[in-house]
Amino acid sequence: MKKQGIGLAVIAFAVYIIGGIGTFGGLALIFLMKNKDLWGWGEGRAIGYLLLCVGLCLSILGVLLMRVFRNRGLN
């Protein structure tokens, strides 16, 4: 059971880190790619807003998962 708790904690921490990278990557796209095409996917600023929102959601999810795993005694 202890090994499963450590694995879940690592997954929660990874989700948190990926969310932070997405958030700051989105901010960079918003400020640096204004009115420029991003690899044919669309305007860089629009994709930056998408990354910003998804990154914030993943960061919040990671924090919530860490709190749940800590309080449930899995960790």
Side-chain angles (χ1 to χ4, degrees), residues 12 14-24 49-66:
V15 168
Y16 176 70
I17 295 296
I18 290 169
I21 291 171
T23 299
F24 287 109
Y49 284 123
L50 175 69
L51 271 178
L52 176 69
C53 293
V54 171
L56 286 174
C57 289
L58 285 176
S59 291
I60 292 168
L61 178 67
V63 169
L64 288 175
L65 287 175
M66 283 188 270

Side-chain angles (χ1 to χ4, degrees), residues 21-74:
I21 291 171
T23 299
F24 287 109
L27 286 173
L29 285 176
I30 290 169
F31 291 117
L32 299 177
M33 296 294 286
K34 193 175 190 180
N35 298 326
K36 294 182 185 173
D37 188 45
L38 186 68
W39 303 310
W41 293 355
E43 187 187 4
R45 195 167 62 174
I47 296 180
Y49 284 123
L50 175 69
L51 271 178
L52 176 69
C53 293
V54 171
L56 286 174
C57 289
L58 285 176
S59 291
I60 292 168
L61 178 67
V63 169
L64 288 175
L65 287 175
M66 283 188 270
R67 295 292 298 172
V68 166
F69 295 151
R70 181 176 180 198
N71 290 335
R72 299 282 180 214
L74 294 175

